[in-house]
Each structure stands twice: as C-alpha cells, then as structure tokens.
Amino acid sequence: MSDAPEKKPGRIAEIRQAYRAIKSLDPKLGWWMLGAALLVAAIIIGIGAAFGGGWFVYSIIISIPAAFLAAVIVMNRRGNTAMYKALDGQVGAAGAALTGIGRRGWYATQEPVALEGARGTRAQDMAGAAMVFRALGRPGVVLIGEGPPARVTKLLKQEEKKVARVAPGVPIHLWTAGDGADQVPVKKLSGKLTRMRPVLTKAEVSVVNKRLKSLGGLKPPVPKGVDPTKARMDRRAMRGK
C-alpha cells in the first residue's frame, strides 16, 4: 500500500504558521499588524464617508480585504527584518539569507561549497572559518564568501577556478558578505541577486547547474536559533497564488 501524498497547508494555514514563527522573533508583531490594518481601513472608509451615499457602504466592504492585505505585508516586512537581525553575526548567515531565492529562478546553496579553517563540524567550530556559498541564475554564477577577509579572498579565487573549469564562458561574480567596505550586507544579498542583469537563457542555466553539481560541496550546519524557512513569509500566500 502506497503512502498518501502529504497534503499541503492552505493559504490561511501558511499565514498562521508564518505569524507564529515571526512573532517568536518579533513580540510586537501583532500590534504592528493591527495598526496597519486599522490605518488602511480608516483611510478607505473615510474616503467613502466623504463621498457619501452608496460609496460609504462600498468603502466598508473594500476596507476588509485591504486591511487584511496591509497586515500581511507588514508581517512579511517585519519578518524579513527579524530574520536578518537573528542571523546577524551567526556562522553561515549568508547561506541562510539565500532561503527562498529558488522561487525567483536561482539555484542556491544554503550550505557552503567550500570551507577553510573550521575546527569541527558543529556550528561553534565554524567561528573564524572562511566559507563560500554559490548561487546560479541567468546573470551567471555568484560566489559569496563569508569570514576573515584574507581567507575568504583566497577561497573565492579557488572556487572561481573550479567553476570556470566546468562552466567556461559563464560569468562569475565574487562577493563577500559583511558590513565592511566593498562587502554586501547579508540582508541585501537576496535583493542584489534578483536585480542583476540576465545574460543566460533558462536552458543554459539548467545545463550549468548540472555541471556545477559535479563539483560537489560541503554540508556543515546552518546557524541555529532561527529557522529561515519559517521566519520568512511566503509571498505566494500574500498574492493569493
């Protein structure tokens, strides 16, 4: 007897699950959502009242879904802020920040593809180590380093050579995650990736992805204390898709 396929949660269930996860990181989330919902509802109803007649009733009807949408948008934004705040300073933060980027046409690794200077396989053993995460999309291959600058630069160059060997001609971008000069803040990694100019076709990306898999990779732990897959609101639920 075959196992029945796992039933996916509905949109309301997804929103409820996301709310609980985000609230554990942001205790004031409920008040912010309530404030946004009331503000939007007040503005819409106020406009309806100014026009009078049937507009007032129509504005009340419209204000309900609009207020709900405003609350979800606030939850999403505060969820992102809370997630990045929880990741700040943690080992592997760059990889955790790439969670969900796959829905935007990217192949990304949440685990490092290269590691140097680790004392073991536990999260605390990774302190001070240099690591590289890899993302592949239509703009090309993006290698993201994290850790001590000197080690990261060396490791990025090594990975660049490996990628160039299996995917010649494909653009390779080298980034370093951090808040220093010429570095990309962890909270801006995802946004910067999606704003890059595409140069490859989807078919070419698929071929390159298969070649990159031949390089293998490492699988040390993702930072503990936050589950980025739950701390980030699923935008499909917000859009109703």
Side-chain angles (χ1 to χ4, degrees):
M1 182 176 179
S2 60
D3 295 333
E6 183 180 352
K7 184 178 180 181
K8 294 183 179 180
R11 288 193 294 271
I12 298 300
E14 288 180 346
I15 293 174
R16 188 183 299 113
Q17 182 183 28
Y19 172 80
R20 290 172 180 169
I22 297 171
K23 188 173 175 59
S24 66
L25 301 174
D26 183 2
K28 296 182 179 180
L29 175 64
W31 291 108
W32 282 97
M33 292 175 64
L34 178 62
L38 292 177
L39 178 62
V40 170
I43 292 175
I44 294 176
I45 293 176
I47 294 175
F51 282 96
W55 285 103
F56 179 67
V57 176
Y58 183 68
S59 67
I60 294 177
I61 298 174
I62 292 297
S63 68
I64 296 175
F68 178 76
L69 179 60
V72 172
I73 291 175
V74 168
M75 181 178 70
N76 187 42
R77 291 185 178 277
R78 291 191 67 85
N80 288 342
T81 300
M83 180 188 75
Y84 290 123
K85 184 177 180 181
L87 289 174
D88 187 34
Q90 292 202 47
V91 176
L98 298 179
T99 302
I101 196 72
R103 293 196 296 269
R104 306 180 202 178
W106 285 82
Y107 297 95
T109 59
Q110 294 179 41
E111 297 82 22
V113 294
L115 179 66
E116 181 182 287
R119 299 184 299 275
T121 58
R122 298 175 300 173
Q124 55 266 37
D125 296 330
M126 303 291 173
M131 56 190 70
V132 173
F133 300 89
R134 186 176 64 221
L136 166 67
R138 293 188 61 191
V141 177
V142 181
L143 299 175
I144 305 169
E146 177 186 319
R151 285 183 175 178
V152 166
T153 299
K154 177 183 176 182
L155 206 57
L156 282 172
K157 291 296 183 182
Q158 291 176 354
E159 285 303 304
E160 182 183 24
K161 292 180 180 179
K162 291 180 182 179
V163 172
R165 186 172 65 251
V166 299
V170 174
I172 304 175
H173 310 270
L174 306 182
W175 297 355
T176 300
D179 297 317
D182 299 323
Q183 295 182 333
V184 183
V186 171
K187 63 181 179 181
K188 294 184 179 180
L189 283 174
S190 179
K192 185 172 181 179
L193 282 171
T194 57
R195 289 194 298 271
M196 296 178 71
R197 184 175 64 86
V199 294
L200 303 176
T201 65
K202 292 182 179 180
E204 289 171 335
V205 171
S206 180
V207 171
V208 174
N209 184 50
K210 292 179 180 178
R211 292 182 180 179
L212 291 179
K213 286 182 178 180
S214 66
L215 295 176
L218 303 173
K219 292 187 178 181
V222 171
K224 295 182 179 180
V226 59
D227 184 347
T229 63
K230 294 181 180 178
R232 185 180 180 87
M233 173 59 195
D234 189 341
R235 288 183 171 82
R236 289 181 299 176
M238 185 183 74
R239 295 195 300 264
K241 294 184 179 180

